[in-house]
């Protein structure tokens, strides 16, 4: 506690009146997709530790405690409340504008819902500023210890709530702040240990997740304290064996101070009326100091409560920290496939460290906050960046916390553990390689060692095979005869690193919507990301490059096998066989062909580096042969790409379909070549002509530039097929990638205009902190909490390269 008010809220933070709803929030395009509604706030918690979320109306409603699984539900007993008395009158409210819909806690008074204050968010910090209800000035700042290049605290399962309270009146004010919390130990694990995988109506594999919500039998709460910290520890039923998934603790705690009184109530009925704590709190700002560690009976649920009371003289202010920590050390994938989380490297694996984590937070939170501010401030100080851009740049990082994130404990093979983020909540598999081609820029720039750990996992997976077959969902959706395909062919770059119901990092290629063994972009995507990660992390990690090299060779050889006519470029088959997996490309395509050319250049550059630095290596002669092979393929391919695709204005969608569609991401390969300092794959004037055509047709002429750039329309902005799916969607991540290309080509104003349109769609229509893959001109979205949207960091990367 200090007598200094908290630091100022950055002016670029996203803001929303507390409790204000949305008139017409975007809704899902397909009913089978997840749509939790617009009440999403910035998530709290470290990477891979599980996270919680609190919306702008004040309810705690996001519970990603079980790795890779999604629970969205307001738990009313998890709440802050404030009591205030000026000596002659008093008021008390629970600080949520939405009373429980299940009829619980009827004795409580809930915060007025007519926008009495403002919510602000700039990841990893958010603020509630309460105004017009209390006489005191009240701000609650929320954050977790997340900052760039930090591989320890960023993994902690903890949320800080830093209250700043000031008395602006000329009379003393007594205040009490109460934190109540539900004992949810054991709730977040799947009751279906081997859930059946089914095909959803959109052709995606899906399984049922049924957590043990409300099952608290055997749970108990206790009061704990030392000379500096006071708290309530929320425990699970006793166990004699090592912790399993769901076993662990919650802890709520405050820091002691001579000028505050501490009250507690260790066991109350969290699904009753709530009167046993509200009556005392609303009358006096106190609790009964009740201790009861009796375990919950069948059907019973338990809450714990902490409150602090203090008096402020006129003009006086205080800063008061609360914390919520949790310790659930095990993530289970398939039954019996268990991983310990990264934070257990620092707090142990017993599942009994909730108090230690909370105590550490209350000792170190000011240092943490200083680190966060030091990381963010250089970007916030840049005058050349619009405020809305700074806002979205940081807030899109929410996905590194809320994206079902995994971060495992360290091993000899992986000294900082293994890392993974879901493609999205609907497509629940990890680190989809085509998506992270743009979506991994944030991880690369801020946590490069985690980024390289992901690419090592792909490198390990490329030589593996899995002969088991499964039905390909795409054919099911179009009413065609079901086709089956092997899950993973040796040499093929996998699409993803697996799903949370199997064995992530080991069983790859989980998605079965398409046969990803046939995709023509994944191998190139892998090669480009390996070289990018080496180049943009200092060009010194030769071990990383060497580790990945054999996989680079194997996947390029595999991809070359799809060059059916021997012209040097692998052809698309006519089935959707790339990241736009509802969009048929036939023959040489601008998108996949360009990536192939850029990947060959990257492989040549990597071979040069390895030859220069490892001249005595056993594979030096082999490296030289491989380099020469890629040089020959590139020399053959480059003129073919121009001959078959350049139409005098832009690069055609492909060489054989006859389509005149302008594809927004047609020159992704050229963007990557320039980004990595490789030779252009197309002439600069042609690239600029194509880019201007894309900007005009896909953005300006598509609904007057209101939504962003559609993936593909005719030169006049009209659809080739009005019933098409992917071509007429605005993909947030592809748009940010396109904007990065615009900056790279000297079209910064156009880049910001495009980016601002997309950011406005997300943050003005209830899509914040669940940014989707796609939005439509009809006010719908698809695939929320999508990895590719972190591509906005690609814009920032190019800006740093060009200034």
């Amino acid at each position: 506690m200090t007598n200094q008010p908290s630091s100022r809220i950055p002016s670029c933070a996203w803001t929303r009146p507390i409790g204000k709803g949305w008139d017409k929030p975007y809704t899902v395009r397909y009913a089978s997709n997840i749509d939790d509604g617009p009440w999403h706030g910035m998530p709290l918690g470290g990477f891979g530790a599980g996270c919680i979320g609190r919306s702008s109306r004040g309810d705690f409603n996001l519970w990603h405690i079980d790795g890779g699984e999604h629970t969205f539900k307001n738990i009313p007993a998890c709440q802050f409340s404030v009591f205030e008395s000026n000596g002659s009158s008093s008021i008390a409210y629970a600080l949520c504008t939405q009373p429980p819909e299940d009829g619980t806690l009827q004795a409580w008074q809930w915060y007025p819902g007519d926008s009495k204050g403002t919510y602000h968010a700039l990841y990893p910090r958010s603020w509630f500023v309460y105004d017009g209800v209390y006489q005191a000035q009240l701000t609650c700042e929320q954050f977790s210890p997340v900052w760039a290049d930090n591989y320890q605290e960023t993994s902690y399962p903890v949320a800080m709530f830093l209250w700043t309270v000031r008395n602006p009146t000329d009379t003393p004010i007594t205040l009490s702040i109460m934190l109540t919390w539900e004992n949810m130990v054991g709730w977040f694990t799947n009751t279906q240990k081997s859930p059946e995988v089914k095909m959803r109506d959109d052709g995606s594999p899906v399984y049922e997740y049924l957590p043990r919500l409300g099952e608290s039998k055997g749970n108990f709460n206790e009061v704990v304290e030392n000379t500096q910290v006071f708290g309530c520890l929320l425990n699970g039923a006793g166990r004699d064996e090592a912790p399993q998934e769901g076993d662990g603790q919650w802890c709520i705690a405050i820091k002691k101070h001579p000028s505050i009184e501490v009250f507690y109530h260790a066991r109350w009925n969290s699904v009753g009326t709530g009167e046993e704590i509200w009556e005392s709190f609303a009358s006096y700002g106190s609790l009964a100091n009740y201790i009861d560690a009796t375990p919950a009976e069948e059907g019973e649920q338990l809450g714990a409560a902490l409150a602090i009371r203090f008096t402020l003289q006129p003009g006086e202010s205080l800063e008061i920290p609360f914390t919520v920590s949790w310790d659930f050390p095990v993530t289970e994938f398939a039954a019996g496939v268990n991983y310990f989380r990264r934070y257990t490297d620092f707090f142990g694996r017993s599942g009994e460290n909730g108090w230690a984590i909370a105590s550490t937070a209350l000792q170190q939170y000011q240092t943490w906050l200083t680190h966060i501010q030091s990381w963010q401030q250089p970007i916030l100080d840049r005058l050349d960046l619009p405020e809305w851009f700074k806002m979205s740049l940081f807030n899109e990082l929410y996905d590194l916390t809320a994206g079902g994130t995994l971060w495992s404990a360290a091993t000899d093979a992986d000294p900082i553990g293994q890392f993974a983020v879901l493609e999205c909540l609907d497509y629940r598999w990890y680190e989809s390689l085509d998506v992270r081609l743009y979506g991994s820029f944030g991880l690369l720039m801020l946590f490069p060692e985690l980024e390289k750990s992901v690419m090592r996992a792909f490198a390990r997976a490329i030589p593996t095979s899995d002969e088991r077959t499964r039905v390909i969902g795409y054919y099911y959706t179009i009413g065609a005869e079901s086709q089956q395909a092997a899950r993973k062919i040796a040499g093929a770059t996998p699409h993803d690193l697996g799903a949370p119901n199997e064995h992530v990092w080991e069983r790859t290629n989980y998605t079965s919507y398409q046969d990803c063994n046939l995709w023509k972009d994944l191998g190139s995507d892998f090669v480009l990301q390996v070289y990018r990660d080496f180049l943009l992390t200092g060009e010194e990690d030769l071990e990383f490059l060497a580790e990945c090299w054999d996989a680079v060779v194997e996947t390029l050889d595999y991809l070359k096998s799809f060059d059916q006519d021997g012209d040097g470029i692998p052809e698309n088959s006519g089935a959707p066989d790339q990241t736009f997996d509802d969009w048929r490309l036939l023959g040489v395509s601008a998108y996949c062909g360009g990536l192939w050319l850029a990947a060959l250049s990257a492989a040549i550059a990597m071979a040069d580096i390895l030859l220069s630095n490892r001249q005595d290596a056993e594979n030096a002669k082999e490296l030289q042969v491989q380099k020469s092979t890629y040089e020959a393929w590139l020399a053959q391919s480059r003129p073919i790409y121009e001959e078959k695709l350049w139409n005098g204005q832009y690069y055609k969608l492909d060489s054989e379909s006859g389509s005149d569609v302008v594809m927004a991401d047609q020159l992704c390969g050229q963007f990557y070549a320039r980004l990595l300092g490789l030779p252009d794959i197309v002439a600069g004037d042609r690239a600029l002509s194509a880019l201007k055509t894309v900007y005009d047709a896909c953005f300006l002429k598509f609904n007057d530039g209101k939504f962003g750039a559609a993936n593909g329309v005719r030169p006049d902005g009209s659809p080739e097929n009005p019933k098409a799916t992917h071509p007429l969607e605005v993909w947030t991540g592809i748009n940010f990638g396109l904007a990065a290309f615009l900056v790279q080509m000297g079209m910064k104003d156009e880049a910001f205009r495009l980016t601002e349109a997309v950011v406005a769609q997300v943050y003005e229509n209830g899509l914040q902190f669940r940014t989707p893959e796609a939005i439509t001109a009809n006010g719908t979205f698809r695939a929320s909490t999508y990895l590719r949207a972190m591509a906005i960091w690609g814009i920032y990367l190019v800006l740093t390269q060009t200034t």
Side-chain angles (χ1 to χ4, degrees), residues 134-155:
Y134 297 98
Q135 290 183 314
Q137 295 172 342
L138 295 166
T139 298
C140 180
E141 178 177 359
Q142 311 173 140
F143 66 93
S144 294
V146 173
W147 63 86
D149 292 310
N150 170 31
Y151 298 94
Q152 180 169 328
E153 288 87 351
T154 295
S155 73

Side-chain angles (χ1 to χ4, degrees), residues 468-513:
R468 287 170 300 175
T469 60
R470 65 257 183 95
V471 173
I472 301 304
Y474 169 74
Y475 297 96
Y476 165 80
T477 65
I478 63 173
E481 182 179 351
S482 295
Q483 297 190 17
Q484 299 219 352
R487 176 160 173 166
K488 169 71 173 68
I489 295 176
T493 298
H495 170 271
D496 54 76
L497 293 177
N501 65 316
E502 291 191 342
H503 191 169
V504 185
W505 302 300
E506 298 296 327
R507 291 192 64 186
T508 62
N509 248 14
Y510 185 85
T511 183
S512 57
Y513 180 65

Side-chain angles (χ1 to χ4, degrees), residues 503-669:
H503 191 169
V504 185
W505 302 300
E506 298 296 327
R507 291 192 64 186
T508 62
N509 248 14
Y510 185 85
T511 183
S512 57
Y513 180 65
Q514 296 286 3
D515 180 3
C516 294
N517 296 295
L518 303 179
W519 278 25
K520 309 308 187 298
D521 54 351
L522 293 174
S524 300
D525 292 347
F526 171 74
V527 174
L528 288 168
Q529 288 176 68
V530 167
Y531 185 50
R532 179 199 68 179
D533 292 358
F534 169 78
L535 195 69
L536 299 182
T537 58
E539 302 181 61
E540 295 178 352
D541 195 349
L542 292 169
E543 183 179 349
F544 168 73
L545 212 56
E547 276 185 82
C548 296
W549 177 253
D550 287 346
V552 166
V553 172
E554 191 167 357
T555 198
L556 286 176
D557 286 347
Y558 178 86
L559 190 52
K560 184 63 166 63
S561 71
F562 293 106
D563 176 16
Q564 300 297 316
D565 58 7
D567 66 358
I569 304 181
E571 287 87 27
N572 292 89
S573 66
D577 53 4
Q578 26 64 45
T579 193
F580 303 95
D581 54 5
D582 261 352
W583 199 353
R584 293 172 174 266
L585 306 180
L586 187 61
V588 174
S589 69
Y591 181 72
C592 296
L595 289 170
W596 167 252
L597 294 175
L600 291 176
S601 287
I604 293 165
M606 284 188 275
D608 270 335
I609 291 165
L610 291 172
L611 284 167
S612 298
N613 290 277
R614 300 193 170 196
Q615 296 175 349
D616 298 330
E618 293 181 6
N619 67 337
K621 289 184 178 180
E622 188 179 12
L623 267 170
Q624 188 61 60
V625 171
Q626 289 159 345
K627 177 191 171 188
S628 297
T629 299
Y630 303 146
E631 288 173 332
W633 289 354
L634 181 60
Q636 181 188 16
S637 299
R638 193 188 302 274
I640 295 296
Y641 187 82
E642 293 292 328
E643 174 189 327
K644 291 190 173 183
L645 297 174
W646 177 247
N647 69 2
Q649 183 183 357
Y650 59 94
Y651 288 85
K652 294 188 294 183
L653 181 70
D654 57 41
S655 61
E656 295 183 27
S657 70
S659 173
D660 65 346
V661 159
V662 179
M663 186 186 203
D665 208 24
Q666 60 185 264
L667 287 182
C668 181

Side-chain angles (χ1 to χ4, degrees), residues 327-512:
D327 180 18
F328 298 99
V330 175
T331 290
E332 182 180 50
F333 301 143
V337 180
N338 293 329
Y339 278 74
F340 287 103
R341 288 171 153 150
R342 167 64 171 172
Y343 77 86
T344 63
D345 290 337
F346 312 108
F347 287 102
R349 299 179 173 183
S350 67
E352 298 175 347
N353 293 293
W355 174 243
I357 297 166
S359 299
T360 298
L362 289 169
Q363 293 164 6
Q364 299 183 4
Y365 73 92
Q366 290 173 317
T367 301
W368 295 350
L369 198 51
T370 299
H371 281 301
I372 295 169
Q373 292 168 323
S374 297
W375 157 48
Q376 292 188 331
Q377 204 59 46
I379 296 175
L380 300 183
D381 287 343
R382 285 189 58 161
L383 300 178
D384 61 323
L385 301 179
E387 294 284 272
W388 58 262
F389 181 78
K390 298 172 188 176
M391 178 278 291
S392 51
L393 187 69
F394 284 112
N395 280 337
E396 287 306 320
L397 295 174
Y398 83 95
D399 196 42
L400 294 175
T401 290
T405 312
L406 305 176
W407 189 359
S408 68
T411 63
D412 290 342
D414 296 287
I416 61 163
Q418 291 187 278
F419 186 82
V421 177
L422 291 174
E423 178 174 335
C424 68
L425 296 181
D426 288 297
Y427 314 145
R428 208 155 68 233
W429 39 85
Y430 281 98
E431 293 293 347
S432 300
L433 192 66
D434 55 318
V435 174
R436 74 184 323 277
L437 183 68
Y438 282 143
S440 59
F441 279 117
L443 191 66
L444 167 66
M445 296 176 71
L446 303 174
F447 300 93
E449 295 307 314
L450 294 181
E451 165 61 27
K452 286 188 283 188
S453 79
V454 174
M455 295 313 298
R456 286 189 181 97
F458 275 104
R460 294 167 186 167
I462 284 172
T464 66
S465 64
D466 187 339
E467 301 298 327
R468 287 170 300 175
T469 60
R470 65 257 183 95
V471 173
I472 301 304
Y474 169 74
Y475 297 96
Y476 165 80
T477 65
I478 63 173
E481 182 179 351
S482 295
Q483 297 190 17
Q484 299 219 352
R487 176 160 173 166
K488 169 71 173 68
I489 295 176
T493 298
H495 170 271
D496 54 76
L497 293 177
N501 65 316
E502 291 191 342
H503 191 169
V504 185
W505 302 300
E506 298 296 327
R507 291 192 64 186
T508 62
N509 248 14
Y510 185 85
T511 183
S512 57

Side-chain angles (χ1 to χ4, degrees), residues 81-84 91-93 95 111 130 132-136 138 175:
S81 303
V82 171
F83 163 89
E84 180 185 72
I91 57 172
Y93 291 106
L95 299 182
Y111 195 73
Y130 300 95
V133 173
Y134 297 98
Q135 290 183 314
L138 295 166
L175 292 126

Side-chain angles (χ1 to χ4, degrees), residues 88-149:
S88 59
S89 63
S90 63
I91 57 172
Y93 291 106
L95 299 182
C96 177
T97 61
Q98 177 65 47
E101 295 179 352
D102 58 7
T104 61
L105 307 184
Q106 292 181 0
W108 294 22
Q109 297 296 310
W110 298 88
Y111 195 73
D114 50 351
S115 304
K116 299 291 188 181
T118 308
Y119 173 79
H120 307 253
L122 191 72
Y123 180 89
R125 305 164 70 195
S126 56
W127 299 259
F128 284 87
V129 179
Y130 300 95
D131 184 39
V133 173
Y134 297 98
Q135 290 183 314
Q137 295 172 342
L138 295 166
T139 298
C140 180
E141 178 177 359
Q142 311 173 140
F143 66 93
S144 294
V146 173
W147 63 86
D149 292 310

